[in-house]
Amino acid sequence: WNLTNLTYLDLNSNQLTGSIPPEIGDLTNLTSLVLWNNQLTGEIPESICSVYENILSWGTFNISNNQLCPPYPECLTEDDIGEQDTTNCGD
């Protein structure tokens, strides 16, 4: 998570598990974040908003088709969040 010059992170369809770490917000030069079609769980960290505007301006943002639970960060729209399997999210 010290890769502050990283601009493109595409880890789609890799069967990744676990949560998105809050350190995602430290990747300040990120212009594309693609985590689509994994098995990521938990809540989306609020820190994702730190990189979201840059991504929105320049590249691709796709975190759909995971198991990410609400509440979702206010900076993200329903389209950004996409389809999530929330059956294991509890209430």
Side-chain angles (χ1 to χ4, degrees):
W1 295 113
N2 293 326
L3 300 173
T4 55
N5 289 325
L6 186 68
T7 58
Y8 190 87
L9 182 60
D10 185 343
L11 298 171
N12 81 78
S13 300
N14 278 291
Q15 298 180 344
L16 297 176
T17 59
S19 60
I20 300 172
E23 291 83 5
I24 194 82
D26 295 341
L27 303 178
T28 54
N29 289 313
L30 204 60
T31 57
S32 290
L33 177 62
V34 182
L35 301 175
W36 174 79
N37 198 32
N38 283 291
Q39 298 167 18
L40 298 172
T41 57
E43 293 183 9
I44 302 167
E46 194 70 37
S47 62
I48 206 164
C49 295
S50 299
V51 295
Y52 176 73
E53 275 213 27
N54 198 40
I55 293 170
L56 190 60
S57 298
W58 297 102
T60 304
F61 182 88
N62 191 336
I63 59 171
S64 65
N65 202 23
N66 281 287
Q67 300 167 23
L68 298 167
C69 297
Y72 300 120
E74 288 187 24
C75 67
L76 302 180
T77 66
E78 285 184 34
D79 287 340
D80 294 326
I81 296 161
E83 184 105 9
Q84 300 293 329
D85 177 358
T86 58
T87 55
N88 292 320
C89 290
D91 295 338

